[in-house]
């Protein structure tokens, strides 16, 4: 059997320690190609670049691994990887991360890490976004590596053929403290935004986004619950944003004309 081809990307940039941890795990399973942003792209969601040219540069960042840095967004990276670098060679798995910071719950919508993985899923590729609940640059990825390896191994063995996306988050705990893995739904939480106002040297006002994560969804089947209780959370996610509940409520809409 040929070795699986694994595409690795992220949104924190190719120099982030989190992607290095993920490359080291992925290369134990197959051939790895890295295509990642040349600068931090957190919070870019599913943005793509259409009014500027995109640049790709082959770099030696990971020993023995083909790696490219890209001037675009995380989603640009996946599109270029598939259509330009790999020229439609079949990709067995796309892994994105390991993000420095949580992408549980509503964060999936803003996350470049998860949007890159979602883009791969849209292309019919099975795909996993990994995040650690630690924003710091020198976060400890030891437990994340172990569990990322478990999830990657499991997904490579699945016989199904369709694309899919898993949103995997790791609690900020040591390997001994992590209690296991939970298959979850996304907690229905939200951010309450706050803008800190300041003045630039020219005296003009500027606004700096900050906020507070509010979760009133305390179900023990949610990702936030799992993470708060020492588990790795795994949420199978999808791009279909149709609101089926409201669709039923509006069933007589077409008769108004
Ligand atoms: Mn990030």
């Amino acid at each position: 059997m040929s070795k699986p081809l694994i595409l690795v990307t992220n949104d924190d940039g190719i120099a982030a320690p989190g992607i290095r941890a993920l490359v080291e795990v992925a290369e134990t399973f197959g051939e790895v190609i890295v295509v990642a942003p040349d600068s931090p792209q957190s919070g870019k969601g599913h943005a793509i670049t259409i009014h500027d040219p995109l640049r790709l540069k082959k770099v030696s960042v990971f020993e023995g691994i083909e790696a490219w840095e890209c001037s675009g967004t995380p989603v640009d990276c996946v599109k270029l990887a598939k259509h330009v670098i790999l020229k439609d060679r079949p990709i067995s798995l796309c892994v994105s991360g390991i993000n420095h910071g949580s992408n549980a719950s509503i964060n999936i919508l803003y996350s470049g890490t998860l949007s890159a993985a979602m883009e791969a899923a849209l292309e019919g590729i099975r795909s996993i976004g990994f995040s650690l609940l630690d924003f710091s640059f020198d976060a400890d990825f030891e437990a994340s590596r172990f569990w990322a390896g478990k999830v990657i191994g499991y997904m490579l063995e699945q016989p199904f053929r369709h694309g899919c996306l898993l949103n995997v988050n790791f609690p900020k705990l040591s390997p001994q403290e992590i209690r296991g893995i939970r298959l979850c739904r996304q907690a229905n939480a939200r951010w309450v935004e706050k803008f800190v106002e300041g003045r630039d040297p020219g005296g003009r006002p500027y606004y700096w986004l900050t906020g507070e994560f509010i979760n009133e969804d305390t179900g023990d089947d949610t990702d936030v619950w799992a993470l708060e209780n020492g588990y790795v959370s795994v949420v199978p996610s999808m791009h279909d944003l149709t609101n089926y509940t409201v669709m039923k409520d509006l069933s007589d809409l077409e008769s108004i004309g």
Side-chain angles (χ1 to χ4, degrees):
M1 247 176 56
S2 62
K3 276 167 69 172
L5 177 59
I6 303 174
L7 171 64
V8 180
T9 189
N10 77 343
D11 77 358
D12 296 323
I14 199 160
I19 194 171
R20 176 166 294 276
L22 190 52
V23 167
E24 287 168 6
V25 174
E27 70 179 329
T28 66
F29 290 95
E31 178 188 350
V32 169
I33 303 264
V34 180
V35 184
D38 61 10
S39 61
Q41 297 283 320
S42 294
K44 291 288 168 80
H46 215 97
I48 51 170
T49 303
I50 46 177
H51 292 300
D52 292 300
L54 289 167
R55 307 280 181 186
L56 276 174
K57 190 173 147 204
K58 205 168 189 178
V59 289
S60 306
V61 179
F62 312 102
E63 202 174 322
I65 304 273
E66 181 177 335
W68 299 78
E69 63 177 32
C70 168
S71 61
T73 66
V75 171
D76 291 328
C77 290
V78 171
K79 287 180 180 295
L80 283 165
K82 180 167 165 53
H83 299 289
V84 176
I85 296 169
L86 294 167
K87 297 201 174 58
D88 295 318
R89 262 181 76 194
I91 299 167
S92 307
L93 182 73
C94 171
V95 290
S96 184
I98 300 171
N99 190 61
H100 293 238
S102 172
N103 279 316
S105 181
I106 188 77
N107 294 309
I108 190 173
L109 280 186
Y110 304 102
S111 166
T113 299
L114 267 297
S115 289
M118 178 73 83
E119 180 64 22
L122 294 181
E123 295 273 11
I125 301 163
R126 66 187 67 177
S127 142
I128 315 168
F130 292 106
S131 310
L132 169 63
L133 271 64
D134 186 347
F135 285 101
S136 58
F137 182 80
D138 51 6
D140 180 357
F141 287 97
E142 191 192 344
S144 306
R145 279 168 193 270
F146 173 79
W147 287 101
K150 289 277 182 202
V151 178
I152 289 171
Y154 176 86
M155 285 300 280
L156 284 172
E157 281 172 13
Q158 291 310 300
F160 59 73
R161 305 219 66 81
H162 52 81
C164 69
L165 168 60
L166 298 185
N167 183 12
V168 178
N169 282 264
F170 304 113
K172 187 183 168 182
L173 295 173
S174 71
Q176 295 75 25
E177 290 169 321
I178 291 184
R179 294 165 71 186
I181 197 159
R182 295 275 288 220
L183 186 61
C184 312
R185 68 176 173 86
Q186 180 181 313
N188 185 18
R190 67 206 153 90
W191 281 93
V192 175
E193 260 75 37
K194 228 190 249 155
F195 283 96
V196 176
E197 189 175 337
R199 297 270 158 188
D200 70 16
R204 288 165 305 188
Y206 65 77
Y207 305 91
W208 205 300
L209 177 62
T210 144
E212 198 185 343
F213 185 72
I214 305 287
N215 179 37
E216 284 155 3
D217 180 358
T218 52
D220 65 5
D221 55 347
T222 65
D223 52 0
V224 172
W225 186 94
L227 292 159
E228 284 174 351
N229 285 275
Y231 293 95
V232 174
S233 67
V234 178
V235 177
S237 301
M238 57 196 283
H239 63 276
D240 182 353
L241 298 180
T242 310
N243 189 329
Y244 292 97
T245 307
V246 173
M247 187 176 249
K248 280 201 199 93
D249 293 341
L250 300 181
S251 58
D252 58 352
L253 173 77
E254 291 179 1
S255 65
I256 64 177

